[in-house]
Amino acid sequence: MNSDESLKKLKEGNGRFVKNSPSKKDYTARRMELISGQHPFVTVLACADSRIIANYIFDANLGEIFTVKNAGNLADDDITLGSLEYGAAHLHTPLLVVMGHEGCGAVGATCGCKGKSDEGHISSIVKAIAPTAEKDSYDVTKCIVDNVKETVKAIPKKSRIIKRIMDEKKLKIVGAYYSMSTGKVEFFL
Ligand SMILES: [Zn+2]
């Protein structure tokens, strides 16, 4: 599967989710099928928010989406970057989607405190979003979108492995915004 086919599959799945008509899944059969290994068709970096579940949003089965989650869908730490590299380099997913979402609490909190927090490790999340929040004059909706765009740009700068796979035309990174109100995912192409 190439990145276009992967994106098409995501859009089709999201279409079913929006219509509230998910495909029928046999989890037991699929689980057994996957014991020997996984071949997901996409890597998704999404927010840790409990309402943001990629497999539901894209109506995907077990083993189809390699999901990396953290509050604010950031790619600032080594574990996240390592997970994204694993998806691209070892699982060979042709597409990496960075998905922000309506009502993101991480972005909302950063805008709310004007990028200043000293609360344990939460301050690291705020610090990572702060430059974008400041640029967007602490407008939450604008910052959610720009935070995704910044992350898309940052990933190949921070990861030589991902940059190489992109240069080989084996990986595309796209940003996306999930509207909780409509269920629709809009891709930034
Ligand atoms: Zn969020």
Side-chain angles (χ1 to χ4, degrees):
M1 197 179 282
N2 63 33
S3 59
D4 290 343
E5 290 162 340
S6 171
L7 187 62
K8 186 168 173 267
K9 201 168 153 72
L10 284 180
K11 286 180 177 173
E12 287 169 354
N14 181 239
R16 292 191 298 274
F17 175 73
V18 168
K19 282 191 277 180
N20 198 23
S21 59
S23 59
K24 196 169 164 12
K25 296 171 190 67
D26 182 339
Y27 290 131
T28 307
R30 182 69 179 153
R31 185 162 47 77
M32 299 310 280
E33 237 176 73
L34 289 166
I35 291 173
S36 57
Q38 57 168 328
H39 303 284
F41 70 89
V42 65
T43 295
V44 173
L45 171 60
C47 185
D49 193 305
S50 64
R51 300 165 293 181
I52 311 303
I53 308 298
N55 279 64
Y56 285 115
I57 294 169
F58 296 113
D59 185 35
N61 208 334
L62 297 166
E64 290 196 300
I65 302 183
F66 187 71
T67 313
V68 182
K69 283 185 131 225
N70 64 49
N73 36 269
L74 297 158
D76 276 62
D77 63 284
D78 293 344
I79 307 291
T80 298
L81 285 162
S83 301
L84 297 178
E85 286 176 355
Y86 188 80
H90 288 258
L91 301 175
H92 309 290
T93 60
L95 185 69
L96 164 53
V97 177
V98 179
M99 186 166 75
H101 68 99
E102 178 182 353
C104 183
V107 173
T110 303
C111 291
C113 71
K114 301 258 189 290
K116 287 179 182 41
S117 163
D118 56 6
E119 191 184 355
H121 293 290
I122 292 174
S123 64
S124 302
I125 300 168
V126 170
K127 211 172 130 191
I129 302 171
T132 309
E134 194 185 343
K135 200 181 73 193
D136 288 337
S137 308
Y138 306 106
D139 178 316
V140 177
T141 307
K142 230 172 143 192
C143 185
I144 289 168
V145 171
D146 285 338
N147 179 49
V148 166
K149 291 182 177 171
E150 289 300 326
T151 303
V152 167
K153 274 195 277 176
I155 293 169
K157 284 186 194 156
K158 290 179 177 174
S159 164
R160 272 187 296 125
I161 291 178
I162 288 182
K163 169 91 170 55
R164 173 178 50 77
I165 301 169
M166 286 174 81
D167 290 345
E168 291 167 355
K169 310 272 180 238
K170 288 178 186 159
L171 175 74
K172 251 190 206 167
I173 308 185
V174 297
Y177 177 84
Y178 168 62
S179 162
M180 272 195 278
S181 314
T182 64
K184 204 169 159 36
V185 176
E186 179 202 332
F187 293 92
F188 311 149
L189 299 168

